[in-house]
Coordinates of all heavy atoms in Angstrom, one line a residue:
M1 N 11.1 -30.4 -13.1 CA 11.6 -29.5 -12.2 C 11.1 -28.1 -12.6 O 11.3 -27.8 -13.8 CB 13.1 -29.5 -12.0 CG 13.6 -28.4 -11.2 SD 15.3 -28.6 -10.5 CE 16.4 -28.9 -11.9
M2 N 10.6 -27.3 -11.8 CA 10.0 -25.9 -12.2 C 11.1 -25.0 -12.1 O 11.9 -24.9 -11.1 CB 8.8 -25.5 -11.2 CG 7.6 -26.4 -11.4 SD 6.3 -25.7 -10.6 CE 5.9 -24.1 -11.5
K3 N 11.1 -24.1 -13.1 CA 12.1 -23.0 -13.0 C 11.6 -21.9 -12.1 O 10.5 -21.5 -12.4 CB 12.4 -22.5 -14.4 CG 13.5 -21.4 -14.5 CD 13.8 -21.1 -15.9 CE 14.8 -20.0 -16.0 NZ 15.1 -19.7 -17.3
R4 N 12.3 -21.4 -11.2 CA 11.9 -20.3 -10.4 C 11.9 -19.0 -11.2 O 13.0 -18.6 -11.7 CB 12.8 -20.2 -9.1 CG 12.3 -19.3 -8.1 CD 12.9 -19.5 -6.9 NE 11.9 -19.5 -5.9 CZ 12.0 -19.6 -4.7 NH1 13.2 -20.1 -4.1 NH2 11.1 -19.6 -3.8
L5 N 10.8 -18.2 -11.1 CA 10.8 -16.9 -11.7 C 11.5 -15.8 -11.0 O 11.3 -15.8 -9.8 CB 9.2 -16.5 -12.0 CG 8.5 -17.4 -12.9 CD1 7.1 -16.9 -12.8 CD2 9.0 -17.4 -14.3
Q6 N 12.3 -15.1 -11.6 CA 13.0 -14.0 -10.9 C 12.1 -12.8 -11.0 O 11.4 -12.4 -12.1 CB 14.2 -13.6 -11.6 CG 15.4 -14.7 -11.5 CD 16.7 -14.3 -12.1 OE1 16.6 -13.5 -13.1 NE2 17.7 -14.7 -11.6
Q7 N 12.0 -12.1 -9.8 CA 11.1 -10.9 -9.7 C 12.0 -9.8 -9.6 O 12.9 -9.8 -8.9 CB 10.2 -11.1 -8.5 CG 9.1 -12.1 -8.5 CD 8.3 -12.1 -7.3 OE1 8.7 -11.5 -6.3 NE2 7.2 -12.7 -7.4
K8 N 11.6 -8.8 -10.5 CA 12.4 -7.6 -10.4 C 11.9 -6.7 -9.3 O 10.8 -6.8 -8.9 CB 12.3 -6.8 -11.7 CG 10.9 -6.4 -12.1 CD 10.9 -5.7 -13.4 CE 9.4 -5.5 -13.8 NZ 9.3 -4.8 -15.0
P9 N 12.8 -5.9 -8.6 CA 12.3 -5.2 -7.4 C 11.2 -4.0 -7.9 O 11.3 -3.6 -9.0 CB 13.6 -4.4 -7.0 CG 14.6 -4.8 -8.0 CD 14.1 -5.8 -8.9
R10 N 10.2 -4.0 -7.1 CA 9.2 -2.9 -7.4 C 9.5 -1.6 -6.8 O 10.0 -1.6 -5.6 CB 7.8 -3.4 -6.8 CG 7.3 -4.5 -7.4 CD 6.0 -4.9 -6.9 NE 6.0 -4.8 -5.4 CZ 5.1 -5.3 -4.6 NH1 4.1 -6.0 -5.0 NH2 5.3 -5.1 -3.4
A11 N 9.1 -0.5 -7.4 CA 9.2 0.7 -6.9 C 8.1 0.9 -5.8 O 6.9 0.5 -6.2 CB 9.1 1.8 -7.9
R12 N 8.4 1.3 -4.6 CA 7.4 1.6 -3.7 C 7.0 3.0 -3.6 O 7.9 3.8 -3.5 CB 7.9 1.1 -2.4 CG 8.3 -0.4 -2.3 CD 7.1 -1.3 -2.3 NE 6.3 -1.0 -1.1 CZ 5.0 -1.6 -0.9 NH1 4.5 -2.3 -1.9 NH2 4.5 -1.3 0.2
V13 N 5.8 3.3 -3.4 CA 5.3 4.6 -3.2 C 5.2 4.9 -1.6 O 4.7 4.1 -0.9 CB 3.8 4.9 -3.8 CG1 3.3 6.1 -3.4 CG2 3.9 4.6 -5.3
L14 N 5.7 5.9 -1.2 CA 5.6 6.4 0.2 C 4.2 6.8 0.5 O 3.8 7.9 -0.2 CB 6.7 7.3 0.6 CG 8.0 6.8 0.5 CD1 9.1 7.9 0.9 CD2 8.3 5.6 1.4
H15 N 3.5 6.2 1.3 CA 2.1 6.6 1.6 C 2.2 7.6 2.8 O 2.9 7.5 3.7 CB 1.3 5.3 1.9 CG 1.4 4.3 0.8 ND1 0.7 4.5 -0.4 CD2 2.0 3.2 0.8 CE1 0.9 3.5 -1.1 NE2 1.6 2.6 -0.5
P16 N 1.1 8.5 2.7 CA 1.0 9.5 3.8 C 0.8 8.7 5.1 O 0.1 7.9 5.2 CB -0.3 10.3 3.4 CG -0.5 10.0 2.0 CD 0.1 8.7 1.7
G17 N 1.4 9.3 6.1 CA 1.4 8.7 7.4 C 2.0 7.3 7.6 O 1.8 6.7 8.6
G18 N 2.7 6.9 6.7 CA 3.4 5.6 6.7 C 2.5 4.4 6.7 O 2.9 3.2 7.0
E19 N 1.2 4.6 6.2 CA 0.3 3.4 6.1 C 0.8 2.5 5.1 O 1.3 2.9 4.0 CB -1.1 4.0 5.8 CG -1.7 4.8 6.9 CD -3.1 5.4 6.4 OE1 -3.7 4.9 5.5 OE2 -3.5 6.4 7.2
E20 N 0.6 1.2 5.3 CA 0.8 0.2 4.3 C -0.4 0.1 3.4 O -1.5 0.4 3.8 CB 1.1 -1.2 4.9 CG 2.4 -1.3 5.5 CD 3.6 -1.1 4.6 OE1 3.5 -1.5 3.5 OE2 4.5 -0.3 5.0
P21 N -0.2 -0.3 2.1 CA -1.4 -0.5 1.3 C -2.4 -1.5 1.8 O -2.1 -2.4 2.6 CB -0.7 -1.1 -0.1 CG 0.7 -0.7 0.1 CD 1.1 -0.7 1.5
I22 N -3.6 -1.3 1.3 CA -4.8 -2.2 1.9 C -4.6 -3.7 1.6 O -5.1 -4.4 2.3 CB -6.1 -1.7 1.1 CG1 -6.3 -0.2 1.7 CG2 -7.2 -2.5 1.6 CD1 -7.4 0.6 1.0
R23 N -3.8 -4.0 0.4 CA -3.8 -5.4 0.0 C -3.3 -6.3 1.0 O -3.3 -7.5 0.8 CB -3.0 -5.4 -1.3 CG -1.6 -5.1 -1.2 CD -0.8 -5.2 -2.6 NE 0.4 -4.6 -2.4 CZ 0.8 -3.4 -2.5 NH1 -0.2 -2.4 -3.0 NH2 2.0 -2.8 -2.4
F24 N -2.6 -5.8 2.1 CA -1.9 -6.7 3.0 C -2.9 -7.4 4.0 O -2.6 -8.4 4.7 CB -1.0 -6.1 3.9 CG 0.3 -5.6 3.0 CD1 0.6 -4.4 2.8 CD2 1.0 -6.7 2.6 CE1 1.7 -4.0 2.1 CE2 2.2 -6.4 1.8 CZ 2.5 -5.0 1.6
E25 N -4.2 -7.1 4.0 CA -5.2 -7.8 4.8 C -6.6 -8.1 4.1 O -7.1 -7.2 3.5 CB -5.5 -7.0 6.1 CG -6.4 -7.7 7.1 CD -6.4 -6.9 8.4 OE1 -5.7 -5.9 8.6 OE2 -7.2 -7.3 9.2
L26 N -7.0 -9.3 4.1 CA -8.2 -9.6 3.5 C -9.3 -9.8 4.5 O -9.2 -10.4 5.6 CB -8.2 -10.9 2.7 CG -7.1 -10.9 1.6 CD1 -7.1 -12.3 1.0 CD2 -7.5 -9.9 0.5
F27 N -10.5 -9.2 4.3 CA -11.6 -9.3 5.3 C -12.8 -10.2 4.6 O -12.9 -10.2 3.4 CB -12.3 -7.9 5.5 CG -11.4 -6.9 6.3 CD1 -11.6 -5.5 6.1 CD2 -10.4 -7.5 7.2 CE1 -10.8 -4.7 6.9 CE2 -9.6 -6.6 7.9 CZ -9.8 -5.2 7.9
S28 N -13.6 -10.8 5.5 CA -14.8 -11.4 5.0 C -15.7 -10.3 4.7 O -15.6 -9.2 5.0 CB -15.4 -12.3 6.2 OG -15.8 -11.4 7.2
T29 N -16.9 -10.6 4.0 CA -17.9 -9.7 3.6 C -18.4 -9.0 4.8 O -18.5 -7.8 4.9 CB -19.0 -10.4 2.8 OG1 -18.4 -11.0 1.7 CG2 -20.0 -9.4 2.4
E30 N -18.7 -9.6 5.8 CA -19.3 -9.1 7.1 C -18.3 -8.1 7.8 O -18.6 -7.1 8.2 CB -19.7 -10.2 8.1 CG -20.8 -11.1 7.7 CD -20.4 -12.2 6.7 OE1 -19.3 -12.5 6.6 OE2 -21.4 -12.7 6.0
R31 N -17.0 -8.6 7.9 CA -16.0 -7.8 8.5 C -15.7 -6.6 7.6 O -15.5 -5.4 8.1 CB -14.7 -8.6 8.6 CG -13.6 -7.8 9.2 CD -13.8 -7.4 10.7 NE -12.6 -6.6 11.2 CZ -12.8 -5.2 11.5 NH1 -14.0 -4.8 11.2 NH2 -11.8 -4.5 11.9
L32 N -15.7 -6.7 6.3 CA -15.6 -5.5 5.4 C -16.7 -4.5 5.6 O -16.3 -3.3 5.6 CB -15.5 -5.9 3.9 CG -15.2 -5.0 2.9 CD1 -13.7 -4.4 3.2 CD2 -15.2 -5.6 1.5
E33 N -17.9 -5.0 5.8 CA -19.0 -4.0 6.0 C -18.8 -3.3 7.4 O -18.9 -2.1 7.4 CB -20.4 -4.8 6.1 CG -20.8 -5.3 4.7 CD -22.1 -6.2 4.8 OE1 -22.6 -6.4 5.8 OE2 -22.4 -6.6 3.7
Q34 N -18.4 -4.0 8.4 CA -18.1 -3.4 9.7 C -17.0 -2.4 9.6 O -17.0 -1.3 10.1 CB -17.7 -4.5 10.7 CG -18.8 -5.4 11.1 CD -18.3 -6.6 11.9 OE1 -17.1 -6.8 12.1 NE2 -19.2 -7.4 12.5
H35 N -16.0 -2.8 8.9 CA -14.8 -1.8 8.6 C -15.2 -0.6 7.9 O -14.8 0.5 8.2 CB -13.8 -2.6 8.0 CG -12.5 -1.8 7.9 ND1 -11.7 -1.4 9.0 CD2 -11.6 -1.4 6.8 CE1 -10.7 -0.8 8.7 NE2 -10.6 -0.7 7.3
A36 N -16.0 -0.7 6.9 CA -16.5 0.4 6.1 C -17.3 1.4 6.9 O -17.2 2.6 6.9 CB -17.3 -0.2 4.9
I37 N -18.2 0.9 7.8 CA -18.9 1.7 8.7 C -18.1 2.5 9.7 O -18.2 3.6 9.9 CB -20.0 0.8 9.4 CG1 -21.1 0.4 8.5 CG2 -20.7 1.6 10.6 CD1 -22.0 -0.7 8.9
S38 N -17.1 1.7 10.2 CA -16.2 2.4 11.2 C -15.4 3.4 10.7 O -15.3 4.5 11.2 CB -15.3 1.4 12.0 OG -14.4 0.8 11.1
L39 N -14.9 3.2 9.3 CA -14.1 4.2 8.7 C -15.0 5.5 8.4 O -14.6 6.6 8.5 CB -13.7 3.7 7.3 CG -12.4 2.7 7.4 CD1 -12.1 2.1 6.0 CD2 -11.3 3.4 8.0
A40 N -16.2 5.3 7.9 CA -17.1 6.3 7.6 C -17.5 7.1 8.8 O -17.4 8.4 8.7 CB -18.4 5.8 7.0
Q41 N -17.7 6.4 9.9 CA -17.9 7.2 11.2 C -16.7 8.0 11.7 O -16.9 9.0 12.3 CB -18.4 6.2 12.2 CG -19.8 5.7 11.9 CD -20.2 4.5 12.9 OE1 -19.4 3.9 13.5 NE2 -21.5 4.2 12.9
A42 N -15.5 7.6 11.4 CA -14.3 8.2 11.9 C -13.9 9.4 11.1 O -13.1 10.2 11.4 CB -13.2 7.1 11.9
Q43 N -14.5 9.6 10.0 CA -14.2 10.8 9.1 C -14.8 12.0 9.6 O -16.0 12.1 10.1 CB -14.7 10.5 7.7 CG -14.1 9.3 7.0 CD -12.6 9.3 7.1 OE1 -12.0 10.2 6.5 NE2 -12.0 8.2 7.6
K44 N -14.0 13.1 9.5 CA -14.4 14.3 9.9 C -14.6 15.2 8.6 O -13.8 15.1 7.7 CB -13.4 15.1 10.7 CG -13.1 14.5 12.1 CD -12.0 15.2 12.9 CE -11.9 14.5 14.2 NZ -10.9 15.1 15.0
I45 N -15.7 15.9 8.6 CA -16.0 16.6 7.4 C -15.5 18.1 7.5 O -15.7 18.7 8.6 CB -17.6 16.7 7.2 CG1 -18.1 15.2 6.8 CG2 -17.9 17.6 6.0 CD1 -19.5 15.1 6.7
S46 N -14.8 18.6 6.6 CA -14.2 19.9 6.6 C -14.7 20.7 5.4 O -14.9 20.1 4.2 CB -12.7 19.8 6.6 OG -12.1 21.1 6.4
G47 N -14.8 21.9 5.5 CA -15.1 22.9 4.4 C -14.0 23.1 3.5 O -14.1 23.7 2.4
Q48 N -12.8 22.8 4.0 CA -11.5 23.1 3.2 C -11.3 21.9 2.3 O -11.4 20.8 2.6 CB -10.4 23.3 4.1 CG -10.5 24.5 5.1 CD -9.4 24.6 6.1 OE1 -8.5 23.6 6.2 NE2 -9.3 25.6 6.9
K49 N -10.8 22.4 1.0 CA -10.4 21.3 0.0 C -9.0 20.9 0.5 O -8.2 21.7 0.6 CB -10.4 22.0 -1.3 CG -10.2 21.0 -2.4 CD -10.4 21.5 -3.8 CE -10.0 20.4 -4.8 NZ -10.3 20.8 -6.2
Q50 N -8.9 19.5 0.4 CA -7.6 18.9 0.7 C -7.2 18.1 -0.5 O -7.9 17.7 -1.3 CB -7.7 18.0 1.9 CG -8.1 18.9 3.2 CD -8.1 18.1 4.5 OE1 -7.7 16.9 4.4 NE2 -8.5 18.7 5.5
G51 N -5.9 17.8 -0.5 CA -5.3 17.0 -1.7 C -5.9 15.6 -1.7 O -6.3 15.1 -0.6
N52 N -5.8 14.9 -2.8 CA -6.4 13.6 -2.9 C -5.2 12.6 -2.6 O -4.3 12.5 -3.5 CB -6.9 13.4 -4.4 CG -7.7 12.0 -4.4 OD1 -7.4 11.2 -3.7 ND2 -8.5 11.9 -5.5
K53 N -5.3 11.9 -1.5 CA -4.2 11.0 -1.1 C -4.6 9.5 -1.7 O -3.6 8.7 -1.7 CB -4.2 10.9 0.5 CG -3.9 12.2 1.1 CD -3.9 12.0 2.5 CE -3.7 13.4 3.3 NZ -3.9 13.3 4.7
L54 N -5.7 9.3 -2.2 CA -6.1 8.0 -2.8 C -5.4 7.7 -4.0 O -4.9 6.6 -4.3 CB -7.6 7.9 -2.9 CG -8.1 6.7 -3.6 CD1 -7.9 5.5 -2.5 CD2 -9.7 6.7 -3.7
I55 N -5.1 8.7 -5.0 CA -4.6 8.5 -6.3 C -3.2 7.7 -6.2 O -3.1 6.8 -7.0 CB -4.6 9.7 -7.1 CG1 -6.0 10.3 -7.4 CG2 -3.9 9.4 -8.5 CD1 -7.0 9.2 -8.0
P56 N -2.2 8.2 -5.4 CA -1.0 7.5 -5.5 C -1.2 6.0 -5.0 O -0.5 5.1 -5.5 CB -0.1 8.3 -4.5 CG -0.7 9.6 -4.3 CD -2.2 9.4 -4.6
R57 N -2.0 5.8 -4.1 CA -2.3 4.4 -3.6 C -2.9 3.6 -4.7 O -2.6 2.4 -4.9 CB -3.1 4.3 -2.3 CG -2.3 4.9 -1.2 CD -3.1 4.9 0.1 NE -3.1 3.5 0.5 CZ -3.5 3.1 1.8 NH1 -3.8 4.1 2.6 NH2 -3.5 1.9 2.1
V58 N -3.8 4.1 -5.4 CA -4.5 3.4 -6.6 C -3.4 3.1 -7.6 O -3.5 1.9 -8.1 CB -5.5 4.2 -7.2 CG1 -6.1 3.6 -8.4 CG2 -6.8 4.4 -6.2
H59 N -2.6 4.0 -7.9 CA -1.5 3.7 -8.9 C -0.6 2.6 -8.4 O -0.1 1.7 -9.1 CB -0.7 5.0 -9.3 CG -1.4 5.9 -10.0 ND1 -1.9 5.7 -11.3 CD2 -1.9 7.1 -9.9 CE1 -2.5 6.7 -11.8 NE2 -2.6 7.7 -10.9
D60 N -0.2 2.6 -7.1 CA 0.7 1.6 -6.6 C 0.0 0.2 -6.6 O 0.6 -0.8 -7.1 CB 1.0 2.0 -5.1 CG 2.1 1.1 -4.6 OD1 3.0 0.7 -5.2 OD2 2.1 0.7 -3.4
N61 N -1.3 0.2 -6.3 CA -1.9 -1.1 -6.3 C -2.1 -1.6 -7.7 O -2.1 -2.9 -8.0 CB -3.4 -0.9 -5.6 CG -3.4 -0.8 -4.2 OD1 -2.3 -1.3 -3.5 ND2 -4.2 -0.2 -3.5
A62 N -2.4 -0.7 -8.7 CA -2.5 -1.0 -10.1 C -1.1 -1.6 -10.6 O -1.0 -2.7 -11.3 CB -2.8 0.1 -11.0
Q63 N 0.0 -1.1 -10.2 CA 1.4 -1.7 -10.5 C 1.6 -3.0 -10.0 O 2.0 -4.0 -10.6 CB 2.4 -0.5 -10.0 CG 3.7 -1.1 -10.4 CD 3.9 -1.1 -12.0 OE1 3.4 -0.2 -12.7 NE2 4.8 -1.9 -12.4
V64 N 1.2 -3.2 -8.7 CA 1.2 -4.5 -8.2 C 0.4 -5.6 -8.9 O 0.8 -6.7 -9.2 CB 0.8 -4.5 -6.6 CG1 0.7 -5.9 -6.1 CG2 1.8 -3.7 -5.9
L65 N -0.9 -5.2 -9.3 CA -1.7 -6.1 -9.9 C -1.1 -6.4 -11.3 O -1.2 -7.6 -11.9 CB -3.1 -5.6 -10.1 CG -4.0 -5.4 -8.8 CD1 -5.2 -4.6 -9.0 CD2 -4.2 -6.9 -8.2
L66 N -0.6 -5.5 -12.0 CA -0.1 -5.6 -13.3 C 1.2 -6.5 -13.2 O 1.2 -7.4 -14.1 CB 0.4 -4.4 -13.9 CG 1.1 -4.3 -15.3 CD1 0.2 -5.0 -16.4 CD2 1.5 -2.9 -15.7
E67 N 2.0 -6.4 -12.3 CA 3.2 -7.2 -12.2 C 2.8 -8.6 -11.8 O 3.4 -9.7 -12.3 CB 4.2 -6.7 -11.1 CG 4.8 -5.5 -11.4 CD 5.5 -4.8 -10.3 OE1 5.8 -5.3 -9.2 OE2 6.1 -3.6 -10.4
A68 N 1.7 -8.8 -11.0 CA 1.3 -10.2 -10.7 C 0.7 -10.9 -11.9 O 0.9 -12.1 -12.3 CB 0.1 -10.2 -9.6
Y69 N 0.0 -10.0 -12.7 CA -0.7 -10.6 -14.0 C 0.4 -11.0 -14.9 O 0.3 -12.1 -15.6 CB -1.5 -9.5 -14.6 CG -1.8 -9.8 -16.1 CD1 -2.8 -10.7 -16.4 CD2 -1.0 -9.3 -17.2 CE1 -3.1 -11.1 -17.7 CE2 -1.4 -9.6 -18.5 CZ -2.3 -10.5 -18.8 OH -2.6 -10.8 -20.0
Q70 N 1.5 -10.3 -15.1 CA 2.6 -10.5 -15.9 C 3.4 -11.8 -15.6 O 3.7 -12.6 -16.5 CB 3.7 -9.4 -16.0 CG 3.1 -8.1 -16.7 CD 3.9 -7.0 -16.7 OE1 4.6 -6.7 -15.7 NE2 3.6 -6.0 -17.5
V71 N 3.5 -12.0 -14.2 CA 4.2 -13.3 -13.7 C 3.3 -14.5 -14.1 O 3.8 -15.5 -14.6 CB 4.5 -13.1 -12.3 CG1 4.8 -14.5 -11.6 CG2 5.5 -12.2 -11.9
V72 N 2.0 -14.3 -13.9 CA 1.1 -15.5 -14.1 C 1.0 -15.8 -15.7 O 1.1 -17.0 -16.0 CB -0.3 -15.2 -13.6 CG1 -1.4 -16.3 -14.0 CG2 -0.2 -15.1 -12.0
A73 N 1.0 -14.7 -16.4 CA 0.8 -14.9 -17.9 C 2.2 -15.6 -18.5 O 2.2 -16.4 -19.3 CB 0.6 -13.5 -18.6
K74 N 3.2 -15.2 -17.9 CA 4.6 -15.7 -18.3 C 4.6 -17.2 -17.9 O 5.1 -18.0 -18.6 CB 5.8 -14.9 -17.6 CG 7.1 -15.4 -18.2 CD 8.2 -14.6 -17.5 CE 9.5 -15.0 -18.1 NZ 10.6 -14.2 -17.6
A75 N 4.1 -17.5 -16.7 CA 4.1 -19.0 -16.2 C 3.3 -19.7 -17.2 O 3.5 -20.9 -17.3 CB 3.7 -19.0 -14.8
V76 N 2.1 -19.2 -17.6 CA 1.2 -19.9 -18.4 C 1.7 -20.2 -19.7 O 1.5 -21.3 -20.4 CB -0.2 -19.2 -18.5 CG1 -1.1 -19.8 -19.7 CG2 -0.9 -19.1 -17.2
R77 N 2.4 -19.2 -20.4 CA 3.1 -19.3 -21.6 C 4.1 -20.5 -21.5 O 4.3 -21.2 -22.4 CB 3.8 -18.1 -22.0 CG 2.8 -17.2 -22.7 CD 3.4 -16.0 -23.3 NE 3.1 -14.9 -22.4 CZ 3.9 -14.0 -22.0 NH1 5.2 -14.0 -22.3 NH2 3.6 -13.0 -21.2

């Protein structure tokens, strides 16, 4: 009988515009290429410097990956 691992609640980062993290949908290589092109075409270039919205999401994704690694490493031990 396998013992069920208890997961501690994760702190969630509130993302600008209420967008969910990218990790919720996986694309094929072809679909990822199409999506990258559509994202690039949708961007507007401005001469004004704006804040970096990517860094909080990178940190959130890093935390999720670390927690997943720790769960797997514990299960292996």
Side-chain angles (χ1 to χ4, degrees):
M1 177 162 50
M2 291 188 70
K3 185 177 180 182
R4 188 165 225 173
L5 297 175
Q6 288 184 330
Q7 292 182 344
K8 59 183 176 180
R10 291 184 314 199
R12 298 290 296 170
V13 173
L14 295 178
H15 302 290
E19 296 176 12
E20 287 297 324
I22 296 169
R23 66 181 173 270
F24 287 114
E25 186 172 351
L26 298 177
F27 289 157
S28 67
T29 303
E30 294 81 17
R31 178 66 183 107
L32 187 59
E33 288 174 2
Q34 293 170 351
H35 188 59
I37 290 169
S38 69
L39 287 175
Q41 290 172 342
Q43 299 304 308
K44 294 180 182 178
I45 298 174
S46 169
Q48 298 176 352
K49 185 174 180 175
Q50 298 183 4
N52 189 341
K53 298 176 185 177
L54 180 62
I55 297 301
R57 292 184 72 167
V58 170
H59 288 295
D60 188 38
N61 288 337
Q63 183 64 33
V64 169
L65 291 172
L66 177 60
E67 290 172 9
Y69 166 78
Q70 290 169 339
V71 168
V72 171
K74 186 176 180 180
V76 169
R77 278 186 251 136

